[in-house]
Amino acid sequence: MTKNKNKQGLGRASKLINKVFMTLFIFTGFIVISYLSIVKYVDSQLASKTNLPSINACLKVWSTRGLVTEPANRLNNANSIQSITHALNSGAQGVEIDVFFDVELDRFIVSHDRPYNLKNGHILTLSDVFSTIDTPAYYWLDFKKLTRLNESQVNQAVARLSLIVPSDSLRSNIYIESEHPIKLPPFQDKGFRTILDTQPLPVSFIGTRLIHNLYKIVFYFGDYSVMGIGYGEIDDPVYNHISESVLNHVPLFIYHVPNERKLIQRLSDQSNVKVLLNSDETANLFDVTDRRCKDKNIEQKSSS
């Protein structure tokens, strides 16, 4: 009797284990099929998307914090009106600027760090930049610590930026960058462009394709203007052959690109790459041109 009961107990346990494994198998299969289906749908939608931001289609190398001419005095020279003006006069179509929104001052402060980097002993505001520089340009605003602002503070920042940029045409030339997917849409609602900053894994990690695809899904359903991605290390790049395959229909702004002309030229020739930022603030490679412009007479301005 005892042996029979033990056999019956083992039989029930075996059936329960089989049931659990079957449930996990079905659930895993459902997740995988759903994931692949969403990726396929997103790819098809991105491939057919035509309302891309209007950016110079041929000259894609923008300036990183202006063109720095005094490396020894980098903190004072970078992100300054002088360096920004020098970059634009040297051929840059756009410039990346680091900004904080100071809630108490109700001002956008141009600085890479906090405490703020002073310019000639004074705080530089974004309003000062826009009111001083009259050269037509695109602006990539690297919005520092946007993730730390609450909803009310984000709305305050949107209101302030809208006040200092009243022109709709200029707003469409300003790109707000943040890794926070929820706090970017209020800026886009007011006519500014948005950059969803992403942090995928480098090519050496086995899960890099999965992470890239997940970012792509978030990007599509969030309806951001472009995706931002750091190039990474030259010998273990974040933007690599997997990125090129997975993100081939995603408009990309790539930053921290090593200062190598051949690499920058190759990236510039990719149709979905819209903007490149050199990792070297002192480098001037603004003359790098998408070679398809010469081969196929691509218009200098892409349609919006």
Side-chain angles (χ1 to χ4, degrees), residues 5-226:
K5 287 182 178 179
N6 289 339
K7 288 181 178 180
Q8 291 175 358
L10 291 174
R12 286 194 296 270
S14 178
K15 288 181 180 180
L16 178 61
I17 292 173
N18 289 337
K19 187 175 181 180
V20 169
F21 274 110
M22 182 57 68
T23 301
L24 289 175
F25 177 78
I26 293 173
F27 178 74
T28 302
F30 173 77
I31 294 296
V32 171
I33 292 173
S34 298
Y35 163 75
L36 294 175
S37 298
I38 293 174
V39 169
K40 184 176 181 180
Y41 170 78
V42 167
D43 280 335
S44 66
Q45 294 300 306
L46 288 172
S48 61
K49 193 171 183 179
T50 58
N51 60 330
L52 296 176
S54 178
I55 305 174
N56 190 301
C58 297
L59 298 173
K60 301 178 178 181
V61 182
W62 288 9
S63 168
T64 306
R65 308 182 188 106
L67 185 56
V68 174
T69 58
E70 302 175 25
N73 191 23
R74 187 181 300 267
L75 288 180
N76 186 63
N77 195 234
N79 281 317
S80 68
I81 290 176
Q82 291 76 17
S83 66
I84 294 169
T85 301
H86 184 44
L88 298 178
N89 290 340
S90 299
Q93 301 298 300
V95 59
E96 180 254 7
I97 305 174
D98 300 305
V99 298
F100 288 86
F101 180 68
D102 192 302
V103 175
E104 294 183 0
L105 295 177
D106 192 30
R107 294 291 185 274
F108 279 92
I109 309 301
V110 179
S111 176
H112 182 270
D113 307 294
R114 202 164 190 174
Y116 301 132
N117 306 133
L118 302 181
K119 308 302 174 188
N120 299 317
H122 301 284
I123 287 177
L124 177 63
T125 69
L126 190 59
S127 178
D128 293 333
V129 172
F130 290 153
S131 63
T132 303
I133 299 176
D134 55 6
T135 304
Y138 298 101
Y139 291 94
W140 171 341
L141 303 185
D142 183 354
F143 200 139
K144 302 296 185 182
K145 309 302 182 184
L146 174 58
T147 56
R148 298 187 180 181
L149 300 184
N150 59 37
E151 182 179 355
S152 175
Q153 292 168 339
V154 169
N155 290 334
Q156 181 185 350
V158 172
R160 178 61 189 172
L161 192 57
S162 300
L163 180 65
I164 65 176
V165 188
S167 167
D168 291 339
S169 59
L170 181 55
R171 289 187 191 186
S172 65
N173 284 359
I174 295 176
Y175 291 77
I176 313 298
E177 175 205 342
S178 177
E179 70 276 16
H180 199 296
I182 305 299
K183 295 181 179 179
L184 283 174
F187 292 92
Q188 189 144 324
D189 291 342
K190 292 296 184 180
F192 299 100
R193 307 292 190 179
T194 52
I195 307 171
L196 177 64
D197 186 30
T198 60
Q199 305 292 330
L201 299 172
V203 68
S204 59
F205 285 82
I206 193 171
T208 186
R209 180 175 293 273
L210 171 65
I211 299 300
H212 277 76
N213 271 318
L214 291 177
Y215 273 126
K216 178 173 64 180
I217 291 170
V218 173
F219 168 79
Y220 171 72
F221 286 105
D223 196 29
Y224 308 100
S225 304
V226 295

